[in-house]
Every structure is written in structure tokens, then in C-alpha cells.
Coordinates of all heavy atoms in Angstrom, one line a residue:
M1 N 0.8 -1.2 0.0 CA 0.0 0.0 0.0 C 0.9 1.2 0.0 O 0.6 2.2 -0.7 CB -0.9 0.0 1.1 CG -1.8 1.2 1.4 SD -2.9 1.7 0.1 CE -4.3 0.6 0.5
V2 N 1.8 1.3 0.8 CA 2.8 2.5 0.9 C 3.4 2.7 -0.4 O 3.5 3.9 -0.9 CB 3.9 2.3 2.1 CG1 4.8 3.4 2.1 CG2 3.0 2.1 3.4
E3 N 3.8 1.7 -1.1 CA 4.4 1.9 -2.5 C 3.4 2.4 -3.4 O 3.8 3.3 -4.1 CB 4.9 0.5 -3.0 CG 5.6 0.7 -4.4 CD 6.1 -0.8 -4.8 OE1 6.5 -1.6 -4.0 OE2 6.1 -1.0 -6.1
L4 N 2.2 2.0 -3.4 CA 1.2 2.5 -4.3 C 0.9 4.0 -4.0 O 0.6 4.8 -4.9 CB -0.1 1.7 -4.1 CG -0.2 0.3 -4.6 CD1 -1.4 -0.5 -4.2 CD2 0.2 0.1 -6.0
L5 N 0.9 4.4 -2.8 CA 0.8 5.7 -2.3 C 1.9 6.5 -2.9 O 1.7 7.7 -3.4 CB 0.7 5.9 -0.9 CG -0.6 5.2 -0.1 CD1 -0.3 5.3 1.4 CD2 -1.8 5.9 -0.5
A6 N 3.1 6.1 -2.7 CA 4.2 6.9 -3.3 C 4.2 7.1 -4.7 O 4.7 8.1 -5.2 CB 5.5 6.2 -2.8
R7 N 3.7 6.1 -5.4 CA 3.7 6.2 -6.9 C 2.5 6.9 -7.4 O 2.2 7.1 -8.6 CB 3.7 4.8 -7.5 CG 5.0 4.1 -7.4 CD 5.1 2.8 -8.2 NE 3.7 2.2 -8.3 CZ 3.7 0.9 -8.6 NH1 4.7 0.1 -8.7 NH2 2.3 0.4 -8.7
G8 N 1.5 7.2 -6.4 CA 0.3 8.1 -6.8 C -0.8 7.2 -7.5 O -1.7 7.6 -8.1
V9 N -0.7 5.8 -7.3 CA -1.7 4.9 -7.9 C -3.0 5.0 -7.2 O -4.0 4.9 -7.8 CB -1.1 3.5 -7.8 CG1 -2.2 2.6 -8.3 CG2 0.2 3.4 -8.6
V10 N -3.0 5.3 -6.0 CA -4.3 5.4 -5.2 C -4.7 6.8 -5.2 O -3.9 7.7 -4.6 CB -4.1 4.8 -3.7 CG1 -5.4 4.9 -3.0 CG2 -3.7 3.3 -3.8
D11 N -5.9 7.2 -5.6 CA -6.4 8.5 -5.6 C -7.1 8.8 -4.3 O -8.2 8.3 -4.1 CB -7.3 8.7 -6.8 CG -7.8 10.2 -6.8 OD1 -7.3 11.1 -6.0 OD2 -8.8 10.4 -7.5
L12 N -6.4 9.5 -3.4 CA -6.9 9.6 -2.0 C -7.8 10.9 -1.9 O -8.5 11.1 -1.0 CB -5.9 9.7 -1.1 CG -5.0 8.5 -0.9 CD1 -3.8 8.7 0.0 CD2 -5.8 7.3 -0.5
A13 N -7.8 11.7 -2.9 CA -8.5 13.0 -2.9 C -10.0 12.9 -3.3 O -10.8 13.7 -2.8 CB -7.8 14.1 -3.8
S14 N -10.2 11.8 -4.0 CA -11.5 11.8 -4.6 C -12.5 10.9 -3.8 O -13.8 11.1 -3.9 CB -11.6 11.2 -6.0 OG -11.1 9.9 -6.0
S15 N -12.1 10.2 -2.9 CA -12.9 9.3 -2.2 C -12.2 8.9 -0.8 O -11.0 8.9 -0.7 CB -13.3 8.1 -2.9 OG -14.0 7.1 -2.1
Y16 N -13.0 8.6 0.1 CA -12.4 8.1 1.4 C -12.5 6.5 1.5 O -12.3 6.0 2.5 CB -12.9 8.7 2.7 CG -14.4 8.6 3.0 CD1 -15.0 7.5 3.4 CD2 -15.2 9.7 2.9 CE1 -16.4 7.4 3.6 CE2 -16.6 9.7 3.0 CZ -17.1 8.6 3.5 OH -18.4 8.5 3.8
Y17 N -12.8 5.9 0.3 CA -13.1 4.5 0.3 C -11.8 3.7 0.8 O -11.9 2.7 1.5 CB -13.5 4.0 -1.1 CG -13.8 2.5 -1.1 CD1 -14.9 2.1 -0.5 CD2 -13.0 1.6 -1.7 CE1 -15.3 0.8 -0.5 CE2 -13.2 0.2 -1.7 CZ -14.4 -0.2 -1.2 OH -14.7 -1.5 -1.1
P18 N -10.6 4.0 0.3 CA -9.4 3.2 0.8 C -9.3 3.4 2.3 O -9.1 2.4 3.0 CB -8.2 3.9 0.2 CG -8.7 4.5 -1.1 CD -10.1 5.0 -0.7
L19 N -9.5 4.6 2.8 CA -9.4 4.6 4.3 C -10.6 3.9 5.0 O -10.5 3.3 6.0 CB -9.6 6.2 4.6 CG -9.3 6.5 6.1 CD1 -8.0 6.1 6.6 CD2 -9.5 8.1 6.2
Y20 N -11.7 3.8 4.4 CA -12.9 3.1 4.9 C -12.5 1.6 5.0 O -12.8 1.1 6.1 CB -14.0 3.3 4.0 CG -15.3 2.5 4.2 CD1 -16.3 2.8 5.2 CD2 -15.3 1.2 3.5 CE1 -17.3 1.9 5.4 CE2 -16.4 0.3 3.8 CZ -17.4 0.7 4.7 OH -18.4 -0.1 5.0
V21 N -12.0 1.1 4.0 CA -11.6 -0.3 4.0 C -10.6 -0.7 5.1 O -10.7 -1.7 5.8 CB -11.1 -0.8 2.6 CG1 -10.6 -2.3 2.7 CG2 -12.2 -0.7 1.6
A22 N -9.6 0.1 5.2 CA -8.6 0.0 6.2 C -9.2 0.1 7.6 O -8.8 -0.7 8.5 CB -7.4 1.0 6.0
A23 N -10.1 1.1 7.8 CA -10.7 1.3 9.1 C -11.6 0.1 9.5 O -11.6 -0.3 10.7 CB -11.5 2.6 9.1
M24 N -12.3 -0.4 8.5 CA -13.2 -1.4 8.7 C -12.5 -2.7 9.1 O -12.9 -3.4 10.2 CB -14.0 -1.8 7.5 CG -15.0 -3.1 7.6 SD -16.0 -3.3 6.1 CE -14.8 -3.6 4.9
G25 N -11.2 -2.9 8.6 CA -10.5 -4.1 9.0 C -9.6 -3.9 10.3 O -9.0 -4.8 10.8
G26 N -9.5 -2.7 10.8 CA -8.8 -2.4 11.9 C -7.3 -2.3 11.7 O -6.4 -2.5 12.5
H27 N -6.9 -2.0 10.4 CA -5.6 -1.9 10.0 C -4.9 -0.7 10.3 O -4.8 0.2 9.5 CB -5.4 -2.2 8.5 CG -6.0 -3.6 8.2 ND1 -5.5 -4.8 8.6 CD2 -7.2 -3.9 7.4 CE1 -6.3 -5.8 8.1 NE2 -7.3 -5.3 7.4
L28 N -4.5 -0.5 11.5 CA -4.0 0.8 12.0 C -2.8 1.3 11.2 O -2.7 2.5 10.9 CB -3.5 0.7 13.5 CG -3.0 2.0 14.1 CD1 -4.1 3.2 14.1 CD2 -2.5 1.8 15.6
E29 N -1.8 0.4 10.9 CA -0.7 1.0 10.1 C -1.1 1.4 8.7 O -0.5 2.4 8.2 CB 0.3 -0.3 9.9 CG 1.0 -0.7 11.2 CD 2.0 -1.8 11.0 OE1 2.6 -1.9 9.9 OE2 2.3 -2.5 12.0
V30 N -2.1 0.7 8.1 CA -2.6 1.2 6.7 C -3.2 2.6 7.0 O -3.1 3.5 6.2 CB -3.4 0.2 6.1 CG1 -4.0 0.8 4.8 CG2 -2.6 -1.1 5.8
V31 N -4.1 2.7 8.0 CA -4.8 3.9 8.3 C -3.9 5.0 8.4 O -4.0 6.1 7.9 CB -5.7 3.7 9.4 CG1 -6.3 5.2 10.0 CG2 -6.9 2.8 9.2
T32 N -2.9 4.8 9.2 CA -1.8 5.8 9.5 C -1.1 6.2 8.3 O -0.8 7.4 7.9 CB -0.7 5.3 10.5 OG1 -1.6 4.9 11.8 CG2 0.3 6.2 10.9
A33 N -0.7 5.2 7.4 CA -0.1 5.6 6.0 C -1.0 6.4 5.2 O -0.6 7.4 4.6 CB 0.4 4.2 5.4
L34 N -2.3 5.9 5.2 CA -3.2 6.8 4.3 C -3.4 8.2 4.8 O -3.5 9.1 4.1 CB -4.6 6.1 4.3 CG -4.6 4.7 3.4 CD1 -5.9 3.9 3.8 CD2 -4.4 5.1 2.0
L35 N -3.5 8.4 6.1 CA -3.6 9.7 6.6 C -2.4 10.5 6.5 O -2.5 11.7 6.2 CB -3.9 9.6 8.2 CG -5.3 9.0 8.6 CD1 -5.4 8.8 10.1 CD2 -6.4 9.8 8.0
A36 N -1.2 9.9 6.6 CA 0.0 10.6 6.3 C 0.1 11.0 4.8 O 0.8 12.0 4.5 CB 1.3 9.8 6.7
A37 N -0.5 10.3 3.9 CA -0.6 10.6 2.5 C -1.8 11.5 2.1 O -2.1 11.6 1.0 CB -0.6 9.3 1.6
N38 N -2.3 12.2 3.2 CA -3.5 13.0 3.0 C -4.8 12.4 2.5 O -5.5 13.1 1.7 CB -3.0 14.2 2.1 CG -2.0 15.1 2.7 OD1 -1.9 15.4 3.9 ND2 -1.0 15.4 2.0
A39 N -5.1 11.3 3.0 CA -6.3 10.7 2.6 C -7.4 11.5 3.1 O -7.4 12.1 4.1 CB -6.4 9.2 3.3
T40 N -8.5 11.4 2.3 CA -9.8 12.2 2.7 C -10.4 11.6 3.9 O -10.7 10.4 3.9 CB -10.8 12.2 1.5 OG1 -10.1 12.9 0.4 CG2 -12.0 12.9 1.9
V41 N -10.6 12.4 4.9 CA -11.3 11.9 6.1 C -12.7 12.6 6.0 O -12.8 13.8 5.9 CB -10.7 12.4 7.4 CG1 -11.5 12.0 8.7 CG2 -9.2 11.8 7.5
A42 N -13.7 11.8 6.2 CA -15.1 12.3 6.0 C -15.4 13.4 7.0 O -15.0 13.2 8.2 CB -16.1 11.1 6.2
K43 N -16.1 14.4 6.5 CA -16.3 15.6 7.3 C -17.9 15.8 7.3 O -18.6 15.3 6.4 CB -15.7 16.9 6.8 CG -14.2 16.7 6.6 CD -13.6 17.0 7.9 CE -12.0 17.2 7.7 NZ -11.2 16.5 8.6
A44 N -18.4 16.5 8.2 CA -19.8 16.9 8.2 C -20.2 17.4 6.9 O -19.5 18.3 6.3 CB -20.1 17.9 9.3
G45 N -21.4 17.1 6.4 CA -21.8 17.5 5.1 C -21.6 16.7 3.9 O -22.1 16.8 2.8
E46 N -20.6 15.7 4.0 CA -20.3 14.9 3.0 C -21.3 13.7 3.0 O -21.7 13.2 4.0 CB -18.9 14.3 3.0 CG -17.8 15.5 2.9 CD -16.4 14.9 3.0 OE1 -16.2 13.8 3.5 OE2 -15.5 15.7 2.6
D47 N -21.6 13.2 1.8 CA -22.5 12.1 1.7 C -21.9 11.0 0.8 O -22.2 10.9 -0.4 CB -23.8 12.6 1.1 CG -24.9 11.5 1.2 OD1 -24.8 10.6 1.8 OD2 -25.9 11.6 0.4
E48 N -21.2 10.1 1.4 CA -20.6 9.1 0.7 C -21.0 7.7 1.4 O -20.3 6.7 1.2 CB -19.1 9.1 0.7 CG -18.6 10.2 -0.3 CD -17.2 10.1 -0.6 OE1 -16.7 9.0 -0.8 OE2 -16.5 11.3 -0.6
G49 N -22.0 7.6 2.2 CA -22.4 6.4 2.8 C -21.9 6.4 4.3 O -22.2 7.2 5.0
T50 N -21.0 5.4 4.6 CA -20.6 5.2 6.0 C -19.2 5.8 6.1 O -18.3 5.3 5.4 CB -20.5 3.7 6.3 OG1 -21.9 3.2 6.1 CG2 -20.1 3.5 7.7
P51 N -19.0 6.7 7.0 CA -17.7 7.3 7.2 C -16.7 6.3 7.8 O -17.1 5.4 8.6 CB -18.0 8.4 8.3 CG -19.4 8.7 8.2 CD -20.1 7.4 7.8
P52 N -15.4 6.4 7.5 CA -14.5 5.5 8.2 C -14.5 5.4 9.7 O -14.4 4.4 10.3 CB -13.1 6.1 7.8 CG -13.4 6.7 6.4 CD -14.8 7.3 6.6
V53 N -14.7 6.6 10.4 CA -14.7 6.6 11.8 C -16.0 5.7 12.3 O -15.9 5.1 13.3 CB -14.7 8.0 12.4 CG1 -16.0 8.7 12.1 CG2 -14.4 8.0 13.9
D54 N -17.0 5.8 11.5 CA -18.2 5.0 12.0 C -18.0 3.5 11.9 O -18.3 2.7 12.8 CB -19.4 5.4 11.1 CG -20.7 4.8 11.5 OD1 -21.3 5.2 12.4 OD2 -21.1 3.8 10.9
V55 N -17.4 3.1 10.7 CA -17.2 1.6 10.6 C -16.1 1.1 11.6 O -16.2 0.0 12.1 CB -16.8 1.3 9.1 CG1 -15.5 1.7 8.7 CG2 -17.1 -0.2 8.8
A56 N -15.1 1.9 11.9 CA -14.1 1.6 12.8 C -14.7 1.4 14.3 O -14.5 0.6 15.0 CB -13.0 2.6 12.9
A57 N -15.6 2.4 14.5 CA -16.3 2.3 15.8 C -17.3 1.1 15.9 O -17.3 0.4 16.9 CB -17.2 3.6 16.0
Q58 N -18.0 0.9 14.8 CA -18.8 -0.3 14.8 C -18.1 -1.6 15.0 O -18.7 -2.5 15.7 CB -19.5 -0.4 13.4 CG -20.4 -1.5 13.2 CD -21.0 -1.5 11.8 OE1 -20.5 -1.0 10.9 NE2 -22.2 -2.0 11.7
N59 N -16.8 -1.7 14.6 CA -16.1 -2.9 14.7 C -15.2 -3.0 15.9 O -14.4 -3.9 16.1 CB -15.3 -3.2 13.4 CG -16.2 -3.6 12.4 OD1 -16.8 -4.6 12.4 ND2 -16.3 -2.7 11.4
G60 N -15.3 -1.9 16.7 CA -14.5 -1.9 18.0 C -12.9 -1.6 17.8 O -12.2 -1.9 18.7
H61 N -12.6 -0.9 16.8 CA -11.2 -0.7 16.5 C -10.8 0.7 17.2 O -10.6 1.7 16.5 CB -10.9 -0.7 15.0 CG -11.3 -1.8 14.4 ND1 -10.7 -3.1 14.8 CD2 -12.0 -2.2 13.3 CE1 -11.2 -4.0 14.0 NE2 -12.0 -3.5 13.0
H62 N -10.5 0.6 18.5 CA -10.2 1.8 19.3 C -9.1 2.6 18.8 O -9.2 3.8 18.6 CB -9.9 1.3 20.8 CG -9.4 2.4 21.6 ND1 -8.1 2.5 21.9 CD2 -10.1 3.4 22.2 CE1 -8.0 3.6 22.7 NE2 -9.2 4.1 22.9
E63 N -8.0 2.0 18.4 CA -6.8 2.8 18.0 C -7.0 3.4 16.6 O -6.5 4.5 16.4 CB -5.5 1.8 17.9 CG -5.1 1.4 19.2 CD -3.9 0.4 19.1 OE1 -3.8 -0.3 18.2 OE2 -3.1 0.4 20.1
V64 N -7.8 2.7 15.8 CA -8.2 3.4 14.4 C -9.1 4.5 14.7 O -8.9 5.5 14.1 CB -8.8 2.3 13.5 CG1 -9.4 2.9 12.3 CG2 -7.8 1.2 13.1
V65 N -10.1 4.4 15.6 CA -11.0 5.5 15.9 C -10.1 6.7 16.4 O -10.3 7.8 16.0 CB -12.1 5.1 16.9 CG1 -12.7 6.3 17.4 CG2 -13.0 4.1 16.2
T66 N -9.2 6.3 17.3 CA -8.4 7.5 17.8 C -7.6 8.2 16.8 O -7.5 9.4 16.8 CB -7.5 6.9 19.0 OG1 -8.3 6.4 19.9 CG2 -6.7 8.0 19.6
A67 N -7.0 7.3 15.8 CA -6.3 8.0 14.8 C -7.1 8.9 13.9 O -6.7 10.0 13.4 CB -5.6 6.9 14.0
L68 N -8.3 8.4 13.5 CA -9.2 9.1 12.7 C -9.7 10.4 13.4 O -9.7 11.5 12.7 CB -10.4 8.3 12.2 CG -10.1 7.1 11.3 CD1 -11.2 6.2 11.2 CD2 -9.6 7.7 9.9
L69 N -9.9 10.3 14.6 CA -10.3 11.6 15.4 C -9.2 12.6 15.5 O -9.4 13.8 15.3 CB -10.8 11.2 16.8 CG -12.2 10.5 16.9 CD1 -12.4 10.0 18.3 CD2 -13.3 11.2 16.3
A70 N -7.9 12.1 15.6 CA -6.8 12.9 15.5 C -6.5 13.6 14.2 O -6.0 14.7 14.1 CB -5.5 12.2 16.0
A71 N -7.1 12.9 13.2 CA -7.0 13.6 11.9 C -8.3 14.4 11.5 O -8.5 14.8 10.3 CB -6.8 12.5 10.8
N72 N -9.0 14.7 12.5 CA -10.1 15.7 12.4 C -11.4 15.0 11.7 O -12.2 15.8 11.1 CB -9.7 17.0 11.7 CG -8.8 17.7 12.5 OD1 -8.9 17.9 13.8 ND2 -7.8 18.2 11.9
A73 N -11.6 13.8 11.9 CA -12.8 13.1 11.4 C -14.0 13.7 12.3 O -13.8 13.9 13.5 CB -12.8 11.6 11.6
T74 N -15.0 14.0 11.6 CA -16.2 14.5 12.4 C -16.8 13.5 13.3 O -17.2 12.4 12.9 CB -17.3 15.1 11.4 OG1 -16.7 16.0 10.6 CG2 -18.4 15.6 12.1
V75 N -16.9 13.7 14.6 CA -17.2 12.7 15.6 C -18.6 12.3 15.5 O -19.0 11.2 15.8 CB -16.7 13.2 17.0 CG1 -17.6 14.3 17.5 CG2 -16.8 12.1 18.0
D76 N -19.5 13.2 15.1 CA -20.9 12.9 15.1 C -21.4 12.7 13.7 O -22.7 12.8 13.5 CB -21.8 14.0 15.8 CG -21.5 13.9 17.3 OD1 -21.3 12.8 17.8 OD2 -21.5 15.0 18.0
L77 N -20.7 12.4 12.7 CA -21.1 12.4 11.4 C -21.9 10.9 11.3 O -21.3 9.9 11.5 CB -20.0 12.3 10.4 CG -20.2 12.2 8.9 CD1 -21.2 13.4 8.5 CD2 -19.0 12.3 8.1
A78 N -23.2 11.0 11.0 CA -24.0 9.8 10.8 C -23.8 9.1 9.6 O -23.4 9.7 8.5 CB -25.6 10.2 11.0
N79 N -24.0 7.8 9.6 CA -23.8 6.9 8.4 C -25.1 7.0 7.6 O -26.1 7.8 8.0 CB -23.5 5.5 8.7 CG -24.6 4.8 9.6 OD1 -25.7 5.2 9.5 ND2 -24.1 3.8 10.3
S80 N -25.2 6.3 6.5 CA -26.4 6.5 5.5 C -27.6 6.0 6.3 O -28.7 6.3 5.9 CB -26.1 5.7 4.3 OG -25.8 4.3 4.6
G81 N -27.6 5.2 7.3 CA -28.7 4.7 8.1 C -29.0 5.7 9.2 O -30.0 5.5 9.9
G82 N -28.3 6.7 9.4 CA -28.6 7.7 10.3 C -28.0 7.5 11.7 O -28.3 8.2 12.7
T83 N -27.3 6.5 12.0 CA -26.6 6.3 13.2 C -25.2 6.9 13.3 O -24.5 7.0 12.2 CB -26.5 4.8 13.6 OG1 -25.7 4.0 12.6 CG2 -27.8 4.1 13.6
T84 N -24.8 7.3 14.5 CA -23.5 7.9 14.7 C -22.5 6.9 15.2 O -22.8 5.8 15.6 CB -23.6 9.1 15.7 OG1 -24.0 8.4 16.9 CG2 -24.6 10.1 15.2
P85 N -21.1 7.3 15.1 CA -20.1 6.3 15.6 C -20.4 6.0 17.1 O -20.2 4.8 17.5 CB -18.9 7.1 15.4 CG -19.1 8.0 14.3 CD -20.5 8.4 14.5
L86 N -20.9 7.0 17.9 CA -21.2 6.7 19.3 C -22.2 5.6 19.5 O -22.0 4.6 20.2 CB -21.6 7.9 20.0 CG -21.7 7.8 21.5 CD1 -20.6 7.3 22.2 CD2 -22.2 9.1 22.1
L87 N -23.3 5.7 18.8 CA -24.3 4.7 18.8 C -23.9 3.3 18.3 O -24.2 2.3 18.9 CB -25.5 5.1 18.0 CG -26.7 4.1 17.9 CD1 -27.2 3.9 19.3 CD2 -27.9 4.6 17.0
E88 N -22.9 3.3 17.3 CA -22.5 2.0 16.8 C -21.6 1.4 17.8 O -21.7 0.1 18.0 CB -21.7 2.3 15.5 CG -22.5 2.8 14.3 CD -23.4 1.6 13.7 OE1 -23.4 0.5 14.1 OE2 -24.1 2.0 12.7
A89 N -20.7 2.2 18.4 CA -19.8 1.6 19.4 C -20.6 1.1 20.7 O -20.3 0.0 21.1 CB -18.8 2.6 19.8
A90 N -21.5 1.9 21.1 CA -22.3 1.5 22.3 C -23.1 0.2 22.0 O -23.3 -0.6 22.8 CB -23.3 2.7 22.7
S91 N -23.7 0.1 20.8 CA -24.5 -1.0 20.4 C -23.7 -2.3 20.4 O -24.1 -3.4 20.7 CB -25.2 -0.8 19.0 OG -26.1 0.3 19.2
G92 N -22.4 -2.1 20.0 CA -21.5 -3.2 19.9 C -20.8 -3.6 21.2 O -20.0 -4.5 21.4
G93 N -21.0 -2.8 22.3 CA -20.4 -3.0 23.5 C -18.8 -2.6 23.6 O -18.1 -3.2 24.3
H94 N -18.4 -1.7 22.7 CA -17.1 -1.4 22.5 C -16.7 -0.1 23.5 O -16.7 1.0 23.0 CB -16.7 -1.1 21.1 CG -17.0 -2.2 20.2 ND1 -16.6 -3.4 20.2 CD2 -18.0 -2.2 19.1 CE1 -17.0 -4.2 19.3 NE2 -18.0 -3.5 18.6
H95 N -16.4 -0.5 24.7 CA -16.4 0.5 25.7 C -15.2 1.4 25.6 O -15.3 2.7 25.8 CB -16.3 -0.2 27.2 CG -17.5 -1.1 27.5 ND1 -18.6 -0.7 27.7 CD2 -17.5 -2.4 27.5 CE1 -19.4 -1.6 27.9 NE2 -18.8 -2.8 27.8
E96 N -14.0 1.0 25.1 CA -12.9 1.8 24.8 C -13.2 2.8 23.7 O -12.8 4.0 23.9 CB -11.7 1.1 24.5 CG -11.0 0.3 25.6 CD -9.7 -0.3 25.1 OE1 -9.8 -1.1 24.1 OE2 -8.7 0.0 25.7
V97 N -14.0 2.3 22.7 CA -14.3 3.3 21.6 C -15.3 4.3 22.1 O -15.2 5.5 21.8 CB -14.8 2.5 20.4 CG1 -15.3 3.4 19.4 CG2 -13.9 1.5 20.0
V98 N -16.3 3.9 22.9 CA -17.3 4.8 23.5 C -16.5 5.8 24.2 O -16.8 7.2 24.1 CB -18.3 4.1 24.4 CG1 -19.1 5.1 25.2 CG2 -19.2 3.3 23.5
T99 N -15.6 5.5 25.1 CA -14.8 6.4 25.9 C -14.1 7.4 25.1 O -14.1 8.6 25.3 CB -13.9 5.7 26.8 OG1 -14.7 4.8 27.7 CG2 -13.1 6.6 27.7
A100 N -13.5 6.9 24.0 CA -12.7 7.8 23.1 C -13.6 8.8 22.4 O -13.3 10.0 22.2 CB -11.9 7.0 22.1
L101 N -14.8 8.3 22.0 CA -15.7 9.2 21.2 C -16.2 10.3 22.2 O -16.4 11.5 21.8 CB -16.8 8.4 20.7 CG -16.4 7.5 19.4 CD1 -17.5 6.5 19.1 CD2 -16.1 8.4 18.3
L102 N -16.6 9.9 23.5 CA -17.2 10.9 24.4 C -16.0 11.9 24.8 O -16.3 13.1 24.9 CB -17.6 10.2 25.7 CG -18.9 9.4 25.5 CD1 -19.1 8.5 26.8 CD2 -20.0 10.2 25.1
A103 N -14.8 11.5 24.9 CA -13.7 12.5 25.1 C -13.5 13.3 24.0 O -13.0 14.5 24.2 CB -12.4 11.6 25.3
A104 N -13.9 13.0 22.7 CA -13.9 13.8 21.6 C -15.2 14.7 21.5 O -15.5 15.2 20.4 CB -13.6 13.0 20.3
N105 N -16.0 14.7 22.5 CA -17.3 15.4 22.5 C -18.4 14.9 21.7 O -19.3 15.5 21.1 CB -17.1 16.8 22.2 CG -16.2 17.5 23.2 OD1 -16.3 17.3 24.4 ND2 -15.2 18.3 22.7
A106 N -18.4 13.6 21.4 CA -19.5 12.9 20.7 C -20.8 13.0 21.5 O -20.8 13.0 22.8 CB -19.2 11.5 20.4
T107 N -21.9 13.1 20.8 CA -23.2 13.3 21.5 C -24.1 12.1 21.1 O -23.9 11.4 20.1 CB -23.9 14.7 21.2 OG1 -24.0 14.8 19.8 CG2 -23.0 15.8 21.8

């Protein structure tokens, strides 16, 4: 992945899909590399389905959620079904993720 980023093969400006896939799988090293390469982090007002921070929260990937929040992911950005990362984490019983989201002022 890092080699593809360096060669410009992966277009990170047009979509946050690569970041979404890495976040879903809990691949912190890949998420970190994508963020370092200026991957798009979903912000409020964007409509691309499920934000990376939401899918990371849903799957209990605490370190990935923390990395995305540090990259200014919108903490309360709802997915296409209307649920927020906090609701996803709480529903899944992911206490560390809930704590991280609340510390970032999730409501």
C-alpha cells in the first residue's frame, strides 16, 4: 500500500473508500499511512455512505478511531442509516471506543 501511495496509484483526494476499507479491518498501520498521505477523512456535510470513523467504531477498533479523530474526522457524522459512531460503538459493547468518542465530545 505504501508503495502504491508513493507512486500516486491510489487517488486519495476523490474518495475516502481506501481509508474506509482499512478502518473497517482495523488496519492501524494502513490507516496511519493513508492519513500521512493526506487521505480524505469524512467531514460533516459529505454524503458517501458510511464514514471510516463510523465503521471503525462499529467494529471496535479503538486505535483506528483514535487515529481518525486525531485527523479531524467529524465525531458525530451519521452513516447512511442515520446512526453515529457513538451509537455504533455502544450497540456493539465497545467500551474503549465509546470512551474515546465521548472524550472527543460525541453526543
Side-chain angles (χ1 to χ4, degrees):
M1 173 62 79
V2 175
E3 182 182 324
L4 294 174
L5 293 171
R7 292 190 327 205
V9 173
V10 179
D11 180 11
L12 299 175
S14 65
S15 171
Y16 60 72
Y17 186 72
L19 189 58
Y20 169 87
V21 172
M24 180 173 58
H27 303 292
L28 180 61
E29 290 181 29
V30 177
V31 167
T32 302
L34 289 167
L35 292 172
N38 298 317
T40 298
V41 178
K43 306 278 193 223
E46 293 180 346
D47 184 19
E48 290 194 42
T50 302
V53 69
D54 186 80
V55 74
Q58 180 181 26
N59 289 295
H61 301 307
H62 171 257
E63 292 178 333
V64 171
V65 168
T66 301
L68 292 167
L69 293 173
N72 297 316
T74 302
V75 70
D76 286 328
L77 184 59
N79 63 27
S80 57
T83 60
T84 63
L86 182 59
L87 180 59
E88 294 287 358
S91 295
H94 305 299
H95 304 290
E96 284 185 305
V97 176
V98 168
T99 300
L101 291 166
L102 288 173
N105 298 317
T107 56

